[in-house]
């Protein structure tokens, strides 16, 4: 900012003596004032521009580094939230500890109470509980980035909780991002629709919705078990 102070002093000095110059000198002074103002503007705007570019570059690099989950990957250790009845304080659930030593089905949805998730994806796992258990699946988990209170209410009112499905919130989208399955932008970072089977914390089957949503529904999962 020392350069900015010098430029401002120069502008003030030129303004005071402006009336004493000839026509030619007046033109020179105008040029000097414009140049000084340009330097001042550049001094204030350049760092912000550079920072903005740096942030975009780092964000882009971070996105490129996170690959979508695949068979053979381990489910990362992330603390999720489980809503409690009667608006109790949500409980912490370490997803890695929860599924350790178990064969589990995990499916994620973009949003609780949304049409496709409520009419198709969730019900498909509700009606498939007996078949999944017959295939050795000990626990079915539904995950979304909605808060724990919303997830508890969805599980309770949909009948999913009564069917034996565990509803967990990923409120900061930490797990979703680590799996490379986040939908960024907007107020709420959402999860892409997917399903997977994990045994002792390792993904053995992965079902993406890239082609069509039904590829992640329970019948598609059962067909591969």
């Amino acid at each position: 900012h020392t350069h900015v102070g010098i430029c401002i002093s120069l502008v003030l000095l030129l303004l005071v003596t402006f009336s004493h110059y000839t026509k030619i000198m007046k033109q020179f002074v105008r040029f000097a004032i414009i140049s000084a103002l340009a330097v001042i503007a550049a001094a204030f705007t350049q760092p912000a521009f550079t920072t903005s570019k740096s942030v975009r570059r780092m964000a882009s690099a971070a996105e490129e580094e996170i690959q979508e989950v695949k068979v053979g990957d381990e489910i990362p250790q992330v603390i999720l939230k489980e809503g409690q009845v009667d608006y109790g304080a949500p409980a912490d659930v370490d997803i890695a500890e929860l599924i350790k030593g178990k064969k589990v089905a995990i499916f994620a949805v973009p949003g609780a109470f949304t049409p496709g998730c409520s009419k198709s994806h969730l019900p498909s796992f509700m009606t498939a509980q007996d078949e999944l258990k017959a295939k050795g699946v000990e626990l079915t988990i539904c995950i979304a980035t909605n808060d724990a209170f919303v997830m508890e209410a969805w599980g309770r009112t949909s009948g999913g909780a009564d069917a034996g499905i565990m509803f967990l919130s990923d409120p900061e989208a930490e797990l979703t991002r680590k799996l490379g399955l986040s939908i960024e932008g907007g107020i709420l970072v959402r999860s892409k629709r997917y399903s997977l089977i994990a045994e002792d914390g390792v993904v053995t089957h992965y079902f993406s919705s890239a082609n069509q949503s039904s590829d992640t529904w329970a019948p598609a999962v059962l067909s591969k078990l």
Side-chain angles (χ1 to χ4, degrees):
H1 292 286
T2 302
H3 296 296
V4 175
I6 294 173
C7 291
I8 292 174
S9 299
L10 176 60
V11 170
L12 293 174
L13 177 61
L14 292 173
L15 287 173
V16 171
T17 57
F18 182 81
S19 58
H20 300 291
Y21 285 93
T22 62
K23 183 177 181 180
I24 295 176
M25 291 304 296
K26 286 181 180 180
Q27 292 177 350
F28 170 77
V29 171
R30 290 193 190 98
F31 175 77
I33 292 173
I34 293 172
S35 299
L37 291 174
V39 171
I40 294 170
F44 281 103
T45 60
Q46 185 61 33
F49 176 72
T50 302
T51 301
S52 178
K53 286 201 303 183
S54 299
V55 169
R56 288 197 298 269
R57 187 161 49 247
M58 288 187 292
S60 177
E63 289 178 2
E64 290 176 1
E65 290 175 3
I66 301 175
Q67 300 296 317
E68 186 171 337
V69 65
K70 62 184 182 302
V71 171
D73 288 349
E74 289 188 5
I75 300 299
Q77 189 169 30
V78 174
I79 301 299
L80 302 181
K81 298 287 186 178
E82 183 180 23
Q84 306 297 304
V85 296
D86 297 325
Y87 305 104
D92 289 345
V93 177
D94 184 327
I95 186 66
E97 284 297 319
L98 174 66
I99 67 177
K100 187 177 181 180
K102 300 185 182 74
K103 183 176 182 178
V104 302
I106 297 175
F107 69 97
V109 298
F113 290 105
T114 54
C117 308
S118 298
K119 293 181 179 180
S120 302
H121 202 173
L122 172 57
S124 76
F125 277 91
M126 290 168 58
T127 57
Q129 285 301 291
D130 289 340
E131 294 173 89
L132 286 167
K133 288 175 182 176
K135 296 288 187 178
V137 175
E138 302 167 64
L139 177 64
T140 299
I141 304 166
C142 175
I143 297 174
T145 57
N146 298 94
D147 67 55
F149 298 102
V150 171
M151 291 300 287
E152 186 279 327
W154 191 38
R156 172 168 40 83
T157 58
S158 65
D162 288 337
I165 297 173
M166 187 177 194
F167 288 76
L168 296 179
S169 165
D170 184 17
E172 303 298 328
E174 183 180 356
L175 175 65
T176 302
R177 285 181 170 132
K178 286 185 175 181
L179 294 177
L181 293 166
S182 64
I183 303 173
E184 303 289 337
I187 298 175
L188 178 68
V189 176
R190 296 187 181 273
S191 171
K192 293 181 181 178
R193 187 184 305 281
Y194 68 88
S195 296
L196 62 81
I197 299 295
E199 294 189 41
D200 195 22
V202 178
V203 178
T204 58
H205 300 76
Y206 172 62
F207 305 87
S208 169
S209 61
N211 292 325
Q212 53 187 14
S213 295
S214 59
D215 289 342
T216 66
W217 299 350
V221 173
L222 285 166
S223 70
K224 300 297 182 181
L225 298 182

